[in-house]
Amino acid sequence: MAFKRSRVRISSAPLGKKVLENKGNSVENPEGDSPESVQQIKNASNAKKNSKRAPRQLKIPKLLVHARSGQAYLVDPGPPRKQIPMGPGGTPQAETNYRRWVTGYLERKAPTARAMPGNRPQFVAGLLGAWLGHCRTKYSRAEIWSCVRASELASQWATMRVEEFSRAELVQIRDACLETMNRQSSHIMVDRVVRAFRWGESRDWVESSQVLRLSKWERLRPTEGRSSKVAKEFGQVELFRVWRELREPWKTAFLFHAWTAQRVETALGARADQIDRTATPWEYCPTKHKNTWRGKKLTILIGPRARKAIAPLMELGGWLFPSTPNGKSAGYTGPLTHAGYRRALATASKRAGLPEALGGRCIRHTAATVLRNRGVGLDIIAAILGHTGPEGFRMTENYAKLHRNSVKKTVEANG
């Protein structure tokens, strides 16, 4: 004889605490509670379970070393799951490759602010991943590189909760930077990490008291650490010798860069449609520059010498200095890059017989120094260079240095 299974669920608790269900038809206990009170009990039980549930932590794959070969590797969880070599185990190369991979992993896996607007990251990994996504849409290329490098240094605390990150970790980052960087660069790296937490504060992800404590981290004194190398001053004669050894299109780009005294990325990224030729002098308003993320606009005035250099390129339209798709640049359709400009200047400096290679920033320094020696005020030089505010004015003083010969001539004439 076969027994037919009953469809009625019998609760293990007393009938007064739960309701018997039979395909949607409830059978209440005469002495039990009402359906409303039963629903309240279920809600309280669910709330208690959710309160005990810890936030899901983003797991960072560990750096492993193969016992037989001695090679370092990690296991990427994927998909697809695979092993990624990192170089010889126990070497700085393996550690550097591991940090770079972790930074990219955080950027891929951590929830970004646009993808999950209501999600609050619980760990440093989520905060760094969301911040890097913000940096790639707001900052210039040089700023993005600095932020990525700072995230690589802070990636070893990726599994730490955001509220537990303290100034002790910042000091460790500073000391790690001193092994390969000077004092100023080490401070910049730590400031980038603090900027990530300050960005999280603007979205109510980080407490203001924590950001205030982090911003007061211990900096090195001027006598501690390795100082940055002072840029060598070049005169107009050296600039002319380097320009003569350059080839096109670097030759025209060098003239435009020198006569406008702008940053390298801004000068090389000029477009014909961004230059207003109806005004005198011409006005170049780049849509993306170093201070775009601050909401500031930059207007570069183009004088007669710079206009003469780029006049033949204005009729072509598009980028004034397009990249040549050869070698490593195959498939690249953007403007000339800073790295290529640096290599071209280094080669031309060697051919010209200069003891040191001429850099892009040295050209900007030389242009500001020439204006200063001709008697132009610092406020006008700051406007030409695009410096604003007290910090920008102090930067103008560093750029526009007086030659010793000018001081001697003034003393002889007026002393």
Side-chain angles (χ1 to χ4, degrees):
M1 179 177 180
F3 293 90
K4 190 174 183 180
R5 181 175 295 180
S6 175
R7 297 182 180 179
V8 178
R9 296 181 182 177
I10 301 178
S11 173
S12 59
L15 293 178
K17 297 298 181 182
K18 286 194 174 183
V19 180
L20 302 180
E21 298 179 357
N22 184 2
K23 272 201 170 181
N25 299 325
S26 61
V27 181
E28 297 184 5
N29 181 19
E31 302 177 359
D33 302 328
S34 62
E36 291 79 5
S37 61
V38 173
Q39 186 64 31
Q40 293 177 1
I41 294 174
K42 290 182 178 180
N43 295 340
S45 177
N46 294 335
K48 188 176 181 179
K49 291 180 181 178
N50 294 334
S51 63
K52 293 183 178 180
R53 186 177 301 169
R56 187 175 182 181
Q57 182 177 355
L58 181 62
K59 295 183 179 180
I60 306 298
K62 295 182 180 181
L63 183 63
L64 307 174
V65 179
H66 193 262
R68 182 172 297 179
S69 64
Q71 296 293 318
Y73 71 98
L74 58 86
V75 180
D76 189 349
R81 183 183 175 89
K82 58 183 178 180
Q83 291 185 0
I84 301 179
M86 291 290 152
T91 59
Q93 177 187 357
E95 294 291 338
T96 303
N97 295 337
Y98 176 69
R99 289 182 179 180
R100 291 178 179 174
W101 184 90
V102 169
T103 303
Y105 180 76
L106 296 180
E107 202 169 352
R108 295 194 309 269
K109 296 296 183 179
T112 60
R114 290 184 298 174
M116 304 183 68
N119 187 21
R120 177 175 179 175
Q122 302 292 332
F123 300 92
V124 177
L127 178 63
L128 292 177
W131 179 62
L132 285 177
H134 165 78
C135 294
R136 295 194 182 279
T137 60
K138 295 294 184 181
Y139 296 168
S140 62
R141 184 179 301 175
E143 289 285 332
I144 292 174
W145 178 89
S146 180
C147 296
V148 170
R149 185 72 180 93
S151 300
E152 292 176 4
L153 296 169
S155 61
Q156 54 181 316
W157 296 282
T159 58
M160 179 184 290
R161 297 185 66 88
V162 174
E163 59 271 12
E164 296 176 358
F165 195 87
S166 62
R167 288 178 288 186
E169 285 73 29
L170 295 179
V171 173
Q172 294 185 38
I173 294 175
R174 181 203 67 186
D175 295 340
C177 292
L178 286 177
E179 298 178 0
T180 56
M181 303 180 186
N182 54 48
R183 182 179 64 254
Q184 290 82 352
S185 299
S186 303
H187 289 176
I188 290 175
M189 290 293 107
V190 181
D191 285 334
R192 292 295 185 273
V193 179
V194 177
R195 182 186 293 182
F197 281 83
R198 187 176 293 112
W199 176 80
E201 179 195 10
S202 64
R203 284 152 179 76
D204 292 334
W205 292 349
V206 183
E207 297 294 334
S208 301
S209 57
Q210 183 183 5
V211 177
L212 182 61
R213 289 195 305 270
L214 293 178
S215 60
K216 295 181 180 180
W217 59 278
E218 183 183 3
R219 295 175 178 268
L220 295 174
R221 297 179 180 179
T223 56
E224 299 175 341
R226 190 172 69 252
S227 300
S228 61
K229 187 177 180 180
V230 180
K232 180 178 175 56
E233 296 183 6
F234 291 89
Q236 291 178 292
V237 177
E238 287 83 358
L239 263 64
F240 175 74
R241 289 167 55 186
V242 173
W243 169 79
R244 190 172 54 185
E245 298 295 336
L246 287 172
R247 301 173 182 175
E248 293 293 347
W250 303 110
K251 215 166 189 175
T252 307
F254 181 90
L255 291 177
F256 182 72
H257 180 209
W259 292 124
T260 56
Q262 293 306 310
R263 299 178 180 91
V264 178
E265 295 85 356
T266 308
L268 297 180
R271 294 181 61 92
D273 53 358
Q274 297 174 351
I275 299 177
D276 183 11
R277 291 185 285 180
T278 60
T280 304
W282 291 357
E283 294 183 357
Y284 166 39
C285 300
T287 56
K288 187 176 181 180
H289 53 89
K290 181 180 178 180
N291 294 317
T292 304
W293 65 278
R294 291 190 174 98
K296 296 182 179 180
K297 295 183 179 181
L298 178 63
T299 301
I300 301 171
L301 301 179
I302 304 176
R305 294 177 178 176
R307 294 199 297 265
K308 182 180 179 181
I310 65 172
L313 306 176
M314 293 295 295
E315 307 300 333
L316 302 178
W319 303 106
L320 292 183
F321 312 107
S323 176
T324 54
N326 298 325
K328 295 182 180 180
S329 301
Y332 175 68
T333 58
L336 297 177
T337 61
H338 193 171
Y341 191 50
R342 187 187 306 112
R343 290 192 294 268
L345 290 177
T347 304
S349 301
K350 187 175 181 180
R351 292 176 180 174
L354 268 64
E356 296 183 13
L358 177 66
R361 185 175 296 181
C362 296
I363 299 174
R364 185 170 161 89
H365 281 223
T366 304
T369 301
V370 170
L371 293 176
R372 182 77 182 276
N373 291 327
R374 291 180 180 176
V376 181
L378 283 177
D379 52 347
I380 298 179
I381 297 177
I384 294 175
L385 298 180
H387 292 160
T388 57
E391 294 292 337
F393 191 77
R394 283 195 290 269
M395 184 63 67
T396 306
E397 291 180 339
N398 295 333
Y399 275 29
K401 297 180 180 179
L402 287 172
H403 283 307
R404 188 66 179 173
N405 295 335
S406 301
V407 179
K408 291 180 180 179
K409 290 180 181 180
T410 304
V411 172
E412 289 293 330
N414 303 302

